[in-house]
Amino acid sequence: MISAGNDIVSLTATNVTRTKSPEFYSKIISPAEKALFDTLDQEVLPFHRFVWLLWSVKESAFKYLHRLDPNIVFTPVKFEVNSIAVPPFYSYTESGTEEITGAGFGDLPVFNATVVFAGKKLFSRIIIHYEFVSSVVNHTEDFNEIYWGIKRIGNTSYKYQSAAVRDFALVKLREVSGRDNISFHKNENDVPILLCHDKLMETPISLSHHGQWIAFSFQNPVIAKSSPSASL
Amino acid sequence: MTRQEILDELKKVISPYTTNKELLAGITEETDLIKDLKINSANLVDIIIDAEAKYNIEIDYDSADKMINVGTCMDVISEKINERG
């Protein structure tokens, strides 16, 4: 069940007042998740950030599972986040973050969450910065083989975001795999796939962009198979 | 409301969330909100909330699931307007 799922939300591109309105958040979070919020330290995780944390985790989980089962539909309230652990001594990073990459999350101050959809449980690691919420999910709690990156960009047009996140991910892919000539394509379900010298790579990858932020995550191993199955 | 009236109003609802105004002007029922209009998924809830306010309707989760392209959005809105009476 190896897949990849990530998401990034630019908090500066969200509407704080609207997010706090029940008409809005009730489309994203369930009553049980609202009850979960009431158990958390709200100075550490104000409601606006809580809602977008949940959105991000749910979107990541959807991407992870949709790659495996293209028939899955994204209904946010049906992806239920049932635990959130706040990192010790947590405080927001207000500035200085332009680009971060990693393999696993080591000692980084990340939030841990679990999310369940149709009986399938996934684990998530979330970085909350002053300007963004970014999440990655996995089917186990071991994230050491998951490579990820987050970067600020200067142009928020869709075309630029889309190209920038691919270029950003390719740098890490080349570094990890030791191969160049890697290219992005999409399969018949509009899911991103990777080819290396026209051979399909067994490297599930997930891309996300919102506002001035782009992010990727992918799983090792990087192994080329014999035949491509891409819509080129 | 006629289907054309729903489409005209739907364009106004979608407009703030897409930068592709040229495509928006020429949308068809097959136009996909994410793939074609490049609307960020984080804005899909905004569109549902704005549509609810615009048409004085309530869109439940299962109906929201169907709102993938312009035609299915119009179907859901039309259905909810009829239910409202």
Side-chain angles (χ1 to χ4, degrees), chain A residues 1-105:
Chain A
M1 177 173 155
I2 291 179
S3 183
N6 86 315
D7 181 66
I8 191 158
V9 173
S10 169
L11 291 170
T12 53
T14 63
N15 181 323
V16 177
T17 306
R18 171 167 267 201
T19 303
K20 290 178 180 174
S21 73
E23 292 79 15
F24 186 87
Y25 71 70
S26 64
K27 305 282 190 202
I28 297 174
I29 68 175
S30 68
E33 289 169 330
K34 179 69 169 61
L36 175 64
F37 172 73
D38 294 334
T39 68
L40 299 170
D41 182 340
Q42 293 162 24
E43 283 194 18
V44 170
L45 192 61
F47 191 64
H48 168 245
R49 287 166 190 267
F50 172 79
V51 171
W52 289 110
L53 181 155
L54 260 61
W55 170 274
S56 184
V57 170
K58 290 165 186 240
E59 175 95 34
S60 291
F62 167 70
K63 288 180 179 175
Y64 192 100
L65 296 172
H66 181 251
R67 177 183 289 273
L68 302 168
D69 178 1
N71 295 317
I72 289 176
V73 174
F74 184 42
T75 308
V77 291
K78 292 180 183 170
F79 288 74
E80 188 145 284
V81 174
N82 54 19
S83 75
I84 295 176
V86 178
F89 312 112
Y90 180 75
S91 66
Y92 298 118
T93 306
E94 293 199 15
S95 61
T97 303
E98 298 297 318
E99 180 177 330
I100 329 167
T101 61
F105 292 90

Side-chain angles (χ1 to χ4, degrees), chain B residues 18-80:
Chain B
T18 179
T19 53
N20 198 338
K21 305 297 183 196
E22 198 175 321
L23 184 58
L24 182 66
I27 57 174
T28 68
E29 297 206 13
E30 285 69 44
T31 304
D32 188 288
L33 300 187
I34 292 178
K35 290 180 198 166
D36 299 323
L37 292 173
K38 311 300 185 194
I39 292 170
N40 193 288
S41 62
N43 288 128
L44 293 180
V45 177
D46 289 299
I47 289 173
I48 290 166
I49 301 288
D50 291 349
E52 287 183 328
K54 167 81 77 179
Y55 302 103
N56 189 26
I57 54 176
E58 192 170 326
I59 300 172
D60 55 275
Y61 309 132
D62 290 333
S63 298
D65 284 353
K66 299 173 190 161
M67 296 172 69
I68 294 166
N69 62 33
V70 171
T72 54
C73 286
M74 291 166 67
D75 292 343
V76 168
I77 290 166
S78 179
E79 178 190 327
K80 297 301 172 187

Side-chain angles (χ1 to χ4, degrees), chain A residues 41-191:
Chain A
D41 182 340
Q42 293 162 24
E43 283 194 18
V44 170
L45 192 61
F47 191 64
H48 168 245
R49 287 166 190 267
F50 172 79
V51 171
W52 289 110
L53 181 155
L54 260 61
W55 170 274
S56 184
V57 170
K58 290 165 186 240
E59 175 95 34
S60 291
F62 167 70
K63 288 180 179 175
Y64 192 100
L65 296 172
H66 181 251
R67 177 183 289 273
L68 302 168
D69 178 1
N71 295 317
I72 289 176
V73 174
F74 184 42
T75 308
V77 291
K78 292 180 183 170
F79 288 74
E80 188 145 284
V81 174
N82 54 19
S83 75
I84 295 176
V86 178
F89 312 112
Y90 180 75
S91 66
Y92 298 118
T93 306
E94 293 199 15
S95 61
T97 303
E98 298 297 318
E99 180 177 330
I100 329 167
T101 61
F105 292 90
D107 295 329
L108 283 172
V110 293
F111 288 69
N112 291 3
T114 53
V115 56
V116 176
F117 174 78
K120 297 182 183 71
K121 182 178 181 180
L122 295 172
F123 300 87
S124 183
R125 299 289 180 267
I126 307 106
I127 294 178
I128 303 186
H129 177 271
Y130 188 69
E131 293 185 43
F132 65 75
V133 174
S134 184
S135 63
V136 174
V137 300
N138 195 18
H139 67 287
T140 78
E141 288 197 83
D142 181 359
F143 283 74
N144 289 332
E145 291 296 314
I146 293 183
Y147 295 84
W148 57 271
I150 298 167
K151 186 179 179 181
R152 185 199 297 274
I153 56 172
N155 183 330
T156 59
S157 76
Y158 181 91
K159 200 172 174 183
Y160 186 88
Q161 290 171 324
S162 181
V165 73
R166 282 162 176 73
D167 288 346
F168 183 37
L170 279 173
V171 172
K172 181 60 81 175
L173 281 162
R174 290 186 189 116
E175 178 191 317
V176 173
S177 67
R179 300 167 193 226
D180 50 16
N181 217 340
I182 299 173
S183 57
F184 274 94
H185 301 272
K186 284 192 172 179
N187 70 11
E188 63 276 16
N189 301 311
D190 216 33
V191 171

